[in-house]
Amino acid sequence: SGSYERIMGCNAVLDGIDDAIGTQYERDRIKAEALAVRAYLYFQLVNIYGEPYNENREALGVPLKLTAGIVENGVARDRVVTVYNRMVTDLEMASSLLENYPKTRGDYRINYSSVNILLSRVYLYMERWDDAITAANRAIKTGGVLTDYTKVDASSFYFTDYEHSEVEWLYGANNRNQGMSSCMIPSSDLISRYERNDCRLLLYFSSDMRTVYKQRWNGTVRPANTLRVSEAYLNRAEAYMQKGNGMTNALADLNELRRPRIKEYTEATTTTLEEIRLERRLELCFEEHRWFDLRRYGMPAISHRYKNKSTDAWLEYTLKERDPLYTFPIPNVIIEKNSSL
């Protein structure tokens, strides 16, 4: 319901913005922001409650509500492909509205570069490789340079901060305290995949590798998430590799990303799709990507060990390969309120 409340806010803006008082720039910018934020919210919803696009685009997704008006008898679910096509329409329009104005950054509002980072992600999920590359090109051309992690002081590093040159948009409420951040514990498998000189080990995690530091509490309420240029490089690299003839370009993107991450980095001379996807995992862990990526990778089997208390025996839960629960069911309490679902 929280997402649809925010979508309603976007819709209310879009219903009235063309008749609003203000300069053309103000109307264009606010319209673009509302379109882009609505697309982001639908991206989250359809990847939770709809099957993966590359698995079954004709499956039921989520209802597309595109006006703020009240509907009395509920809203039916639209197909996954319909939701994706709407996201593309909204993001392409937002990009067109913003491209002729100077880029803004640092004001917690989505901008031209971040719109195209998100658009490249949507095209990647749709396996529209050329379109993903085009959108990523726009983001990289206009976005900030990658932050050099090899020169960052780990003791004062705070991940969600516009001080990092690659961060284009900060969003989402973060009121976690120190106790909450300790709930996010990286797996030993994830930690083992980083190279010894990879600065992300020091910046992303505590010294004992037991706590995720990216969003650690620093005494103030801060945004919890970022859209940043590093994702555009990863989206573009994967799209290049998927095209079958783009290994040289994909390798260039991979080296470009790794160079400011790994001390004394030795340039790779070849790469694979699996290596690019691993780099995506290392770079974007705990940033709303991994679960959605696993869905589009074919929904592999996952096992987790769990116990409620330290004295309990370990329980192991396994999500089978291509398990239907890779797609969350809409809760009964929601269906009771909207039988059209």
Side-chain angles (χ1 to χ4, degrees):
S1 62
S3 293
Y4 276 102
E5 289 172 2
R6 292 169 175 82
I7 288 170
M8 182 173 66
C10 295
N11 288 338
V13 169
L14 293 168
D15 286 348
I17 190 61
D18 290 336
D19 298 321
I21 296 171
T23 65
Q24 189 64 47
Y25 165 69
E26 290 171 327
R27 288 195 296 272
D28 285 348
R29 181 179 180 185
I30 291 170
K31 185 175 184 177
E33 290 170 0
L35 288 166
V37 171
R38 184 173 72 181
Y40 164 77
L41 292 165
Y42 274 124
F43 178 84
Q44 298 292 318
L45 287 168
V46 78
N47 278 285
I48 294 172
Y49 297 110
E51 292 184 46
Y53 182 94
N54 61 352
E55 172 71 17
N56 185 7
R57 70 188 67 178
E58 299 298 329
L60 290 177
V62 295
L64 271 177
K65 184 73 168 58
L66 302 176
T67 63
I70 301 299
V71 178
E72 291 187 4
N73 297 317
V75 182
R77 298 167 72 180
D78 286 277
R79 293 177 302 153
V80 168
V81 65
T82 304
V83 179
Y84 266 84
N85 287 339
R86 187 68 210 196
M87 289 189 287
V88 165
T89 297
D90 286 356
L91 290 168
E92 287 285 12
M93 183 180 295
S95 179
S96 296
L97 287 167
L98 293 174
E99 68 178 339
N100 294 321
Y101 296 111
K103 190 188 80 173
T104 59
R105 180 181 176 275
D107 56 4
Y108 303 98
R109 293 164 68 172
I110 199 166
N111 65 4
Y112 178 77
S113 301
S114 49
V115 165
N116 281 287
I117 294 169
L118 185 57
L119 182 58
S120 70
R121 186 195 305 178
V122 173
Y123 280 138
L124 188 72
Y125 278 49
M126 298 174 79
E127 300 185 347
R128 291 171 57 173
W129 313 127
D130 288 327
D131 291 326
I133 291 167
T134 297
N137 286 344
R138 293 181 203 150
I140 292 168
K141 181 179 179 180
T142 61
V145 298
L146 292 169
T147 304
D148 190 347
Y149 285 0
T150 68
K151 299 178 180 178
V152 171
D153 180 6
S155 65
S156 60
F157 179 83
Y158 192 80
F159 187 76
T160 52
D161 198 314
Y162 278 118
E163 289 184 8
H164 303 308
S165 55
E166 68 190 53
V167 172
E168 291 296 335
W169 184 37
L170 298 182
Y171 66 96
N174 179 5
N175 56 2
R176 298 183 179 94
N177 58 27
Q178 192 66 40
M180 280 298 291
S181 68
S182 65
C183 293
M184 299 186 293
I185 299 175
S187 69
S188 56
D189 179 70
L190 172 63
I191 295 299
S192 70
R193 303 303 182 100
Y194 289 95
E195 295 182 23
R196 180 177 56 84
N197 288 337
D198 196 323
C199 296
R200 289 171 295 193
L201 271 175
L202 294 175
L203 299 178
Y204 288 8
F205 311 105
S206 60
S207 58
D208 60 1
M209 305 302 164
R210 295 288 294 169
T211 304
V212 176
Y213 264 10
K214 280 187 174 185
Q215 300 165 349
R216 71 179 185 271
W217 181 251
N218 74 336
T220 58
V221 175
R222 300 284 295 268
N225 305 98
T226 72
L227 272 181
R228 50 205 176 87
V229 172
S230 59
E231 184 193 339
Y233 280 101
L234 289 162
N235 293 346
R236 191 170 71 176
E238 184 172 340
Y240 277 136
M241 286 298 294
Q242 292 282 14
K243 280 169 59 67
N245 60 351
M247 203 271 277
T248 299
N249 289 326
L251 180 62
D253 281 343
L254 194 63
N255 281 324
E256 185 72 19
L257 177 62
R258 286 174 172 170
R259 203 176 298 117
R261 300 305 195 240
I262 302 171
K263 289 183 178 180
E264 302 173 359
Y265 177 62
T266 301
E267 301 264 317
T269 57
T270 185
T271 191
T272 63
L273 178 62
E274 289 70 26
E275 286 184 348
I276 291 168
R277 287 178 167 178
L278 172 59
E279 196 66 32
R280 184 181 187 86
R281 181 186 181 192
L282 302 180
E283 175 68 18
L284 302 176
C285 60
F286 298 93
E287 290 185 63
E288 304 182 333
H289 290 273
R290 182 62 175 165
W291 175 253
F292 294 170
D293 281 338
L294 289 173
R295 282 164 42 94
R296 67 185 179 91
Y297 295 165
M299 298 175 282
I302 308 172
S303 293
H304 281 296
R305 293 202 308 159
Y306 168 82
K307 59 181 176 180
N308 190 44
K309 295 183 294 185
S310 60
T311 54
D312 291 346
W314 284 103
L315 301 174
E316 184 162 331
Y317 179 81
T318 298
L319 190 69
K320 299 186 297 295
E321 183 179 2
R322 305 175 72 83
D323 197 301
L325 285 179
Y326 261 104
T327 301
F328 285 22
I330 293 179
N332 288 334
V333 65
I334 302 299
I335 294 177
E336 289 170 2
K337 294 179 180 179
N338 178 9
S339 59
S340 299
L341 295 171

